[in-house]
Amino acid sequence: MKDHTTKRYAYVTALNVIITAAEFIGGFVSGSLSLLSDAVHNLSDVGAIIISFVAHLISNRGSNKEKTFGYDRAETLAAFTNGIVLLLISIVLFIEAIERFWNPTAISGQIMLVVAIIGLVANVISMLVMHQDGQENLNVRSTFIHMMSDALSSVAVVVGAIFIYFWHITWIDPLMTLLVSLFIFHEAWELTMKAANVLMESNPDINLDQVNKIVLSFPEIKNIHHVHLWRYSDRYVMLDAHVNVAPDLTARQIEQINQQISRKLQILGINHTNFQVECERGRNNKMIVSDRNQEEEE
């Protein structure tokens, strides 16, 4: 998958450079704000794709003494960065569209239509190229959303160009820009929040009651506490917890129980577990214990 993703990044980057140049030229010649805004959007996408691509290459590196977890989070950082960039772009486009309503300019519908169709075709191709890997990887997903927003923006520009060319309705140009900016903001907000939740090590929507039920289904486990559950990257969902067991269990028995619990927790999507085994300490504690309470105990 990694090799295929690398090739897809290269294809999409080259295609977007061509689209950006064509739309900038077409936007200046035709006077279309939506075409120029689409060109600016595409220009930011080139930078976003490069960021995603570099992060993708970095994530392939293995763990070392400095990065004991490896470099998977590089892609999450790239996704977060791209999300912020998209949010800023959507706000700028929104403001520009409002201003154009009050200060309309002459627009050449024919040039706008030709360039918009070229941009639409190229953006749809880029979107389809990144679609498959975007289902499994948050970083690739950020690139896919860039491509999808570009394709939608191009559709809006084409629609606006048709109305301007045939019926000379120029206010459709800022209207399309306005609608596209709102869509981009919505998609960018969701992407940014997902990446932020990974960086903040939030619970990836896994029911802790189900975790508790699975762990305590083993009679040897008396209690589970100090639970930390987070998504480290697209590949790893981690669980760290303390468990209380009977004092007569051997190390071999504890190891076997841990392996059995880990296999059952995979049903919930947890694929990396670490249990600190205790006898009496924390036996009456709940699953979630604040850091302050933990410090007081220690």
Side-chain angles (χ1 to χ4, degrees):
M1 191 272 283
K2 293 285 186 182
D3 290 338
H4 291 161
T5 302
T6 299
K7 293 178 180 178
R8 290 186 177 108
Y9 272 122
Y11 295 150
V12 170
T13 301
L15 198 54
N16 270 264
V17 169
I18 296 172
I19 298 170
T20 301
E23 289 191 332
F24 264 120
I25 295 172
F28 280 117
V29 173
S30 66
S32 168
L33 173 64
S34 59
L35 199 55
L36 280 173
S37 65
D38 199 35
V40 172
H41 188 191
N42 274 309
L43 180 62
S44 71
D45 284 347
V46 174
I49 294 167
I50 292 173
I51 291 173
S52 295
F53 179 54
V54 172
H56 166 72
L57 294 178
I58 293 174
S59 70
N60 289 334
R61 299 173 62 183
S63 57
N64 54 42
K65 291 181 179 179
E66 293 183 352
K67 301 290 187 298
T68 56
F69 272 110
Y71 291 81
D72 280 352
R73 281 257 173 113
E75 294 200 286
T76 306
L77 285 169
F80 181 79
T81 302
N82 284 336
I84 294 297
V85 171
L86 277 169
L87 286 173
L88 294 175
I89 289 172
S90 65
I91 293 172
V92 171
L93 292 181
F94 184 89
I95 295 172
E96 288 294 324
I98 295 299
E99 290 180 353
R100 182 59 69 92
F101 272 118
W102 304 114
N103 299 294
T105 59
I107 300 172
S108 173
Q110 184 176 11
I111 296 174
M112 179 183 173
L113 181 59
V114 172
V115 177
I117 292 175
I118 295 173
L120 174 60
V121 173
N123 282 321
V124 169
I125 293 173
S126 297
M127 183 182 70
L128 294 176
V129 167
M130 302 304 295
H131 177 262
Q132 184 175 356
D133 290 348
Q135 304 299 313
E136 304 173 356
N137 184 295
L138 190 61
N139 183 37
V140 179
R141 174 70 178 172
S142 71
T143 304
F144 171 74
I145 291 178
H146 272 279
M147 299 302 97
M148 182 174 65
S149 63
D150 280 348
L152 181 65
S153 179
S154 294
V155 170
V157 175
V158 169
V159 171
I162 292 173
F163 274 84
I164 292 169
Y165 180 68
F166 289 102
W167 297 289
H168 306 290
I169 304 176
T170 56
W171 56 261
I172 199 74
D173 185 58
L175 176 63
M176 292 295 102
T177 304
L178 193 66
L179 295 176
V180 169
S181 69
L182 293 174
F183 174 80
I184 295 173
F185 187 91
H186 171 74
E187 294 296 318
W189 180 261
E190 289 192 350
L191 172 67
T192 305
M193 288 301 100
K194 286 180 180 179
N197 283 332
V198 173
L199 295 174
M200 289 294 294
E201 299 185 343
S202 303
N203 179 350
D205 296 325
I206 293 177
N207 191 323
L208 287 179
D209 290 334
Q210 291 182 336
V211 173
N212 186 65
K213 183 178 179 180
I214 288 174
V215 174
L216 295 183
S217 66
F218 292 83
E220 298 87 352
I221 306 298
K222 307 305 179 182
N223 185 42
I224 177 173
H225 58 100
H226 285 90
V227 171
H228 298 282
L229 178 62
W230 73 101
R231 178 180 293 280
Y232 173 72
S233 67
D234 292 301
R235 293 190 295 171
Y236 296 113
V237 174
M238 298 186 171
L239 172 68
D240 181 89
H242 296 207
V243 292
N244 296 105
V245 301
D248 58 345
L249 285 178
T250 66
R252 181 180 293 275
Q253 289 174 320
I254 292 172
E255 181 181 352
Q256 291 174 345
I257 294 169
N258 282 348
Q259 290 175 349
Q260 293 171 14
I261 294 175
S262 296
R263 282 195 292 268
K264 281 199 170 185
L265 288 174
Q266 287 179 358
I267 299 173
L268 302 180
I270 301 170
N271 52 19
H272 184 96
T273 57
N274 178 52
F275 295 109
Q276 178 173 318
V277 179
E278 301 169 335
C279 292
E280 296 300 327
R281 180 176 178 271
R283 187 160 183 161
N284 297 320
N285 284 340
K286 297 180 180 179
M287 292 187 72
I288 304 299
V289 178
S290 70
D291 291 337
R292 180 175 297 178
N293 290 339
Q294 184 175 1
E295 291 174 359
E296 290 175 355
E297 286 183 12
E298 294 174 349

